[in-house]
Amino acid sequence: MSDNTDLESRMVAAIRHYRAALELAEHLERKDASAQRAVTSTLLDLERAVRDKAAPHLKHSLCEIASAAVSRSDNTRTALVEASARLDSARLTLADLEQQLGYIPKVATAADHQ
């Protein structure tokens, strides 16, 4: 019985870890989508400025904005890749614990406590 209690405790902790990893990955996916929209929008603005022969200072400003947007997108992508790896690791841990325990215990969510 003690073995099941220990496994259940580990499983509950693993479920919470998985939920946190999933929440982070979802947050970063939204952030990545926003960063991609910013890059696309800025590049379109820069394309229009070049095509319309806008003032050099405007083109320079748009280049700086585009560079910052690309950097933000790259950073978000890197964080998303890392979060995805953590999520996959958490999933594998859950699968292993479920196989050992034979079931998944019910774990309360934050909404259950309200």
Side-chain angles (χ1 to χ4, degrees):
M1 189 67 173
S2 175
D3 286 343
N4 269 2
T5 301
D6 180 52
L7 275 175
E8 258 192 38
S9 295
R10 288 175 44 208
M11 180 69 124
V12 168
I15 290 170
R16 288 190 175 123
H17 179 74
Y18 179 84
R19 286 179 180 166
L22 180 60
E23 186 177 310
L24 176 62
E26 289 173 339
H27 168 74
L28 289 170
E29 283 178 340
R30 288 188 299 274
K31 194 172 175 182
D32 181 53
S34 174
Q36 288 298 315
R37 285 190 301 274
V39 167
T40 301
S41 174
T42 304
L43 291 177
L44 289 172
D45 291 344
L46 182 58
E47 180 183 353
R48 276 191 292 275
V50 168
R51 185 181 57 235
D52 296 343
K53 297 185 172 71
H57 71 279
L58 177 60
K59 291 178 197 172
H60 179 73
S61 292
L62 286 170
C63 283
E64 287 181 354
I65 292 168
S67 178
V70 168
S71 179
R72 187 178 112 206
S73 176
D74 286 347
N75 292 340
T76 302
R77 276 281 160 96
T78 299
L80 183 55
V81 167
E82 292 169 2
S84 295
R86 283 193 300 271
L87 182 60
D88 193 45
S89 176
R91 181 190 58 77
L92 291 172
T93 300
L94 278 175
D96 182 52
L97 289 170
E98 179 190 12
Q99 189 166 0
Q100 291 177 48
L101 189 58
Y103 62 94
I104 298 176
K106 180 163 174 48
V107 179
T109 63
D112 294 339
H113 295 292
Q114 293 178 3

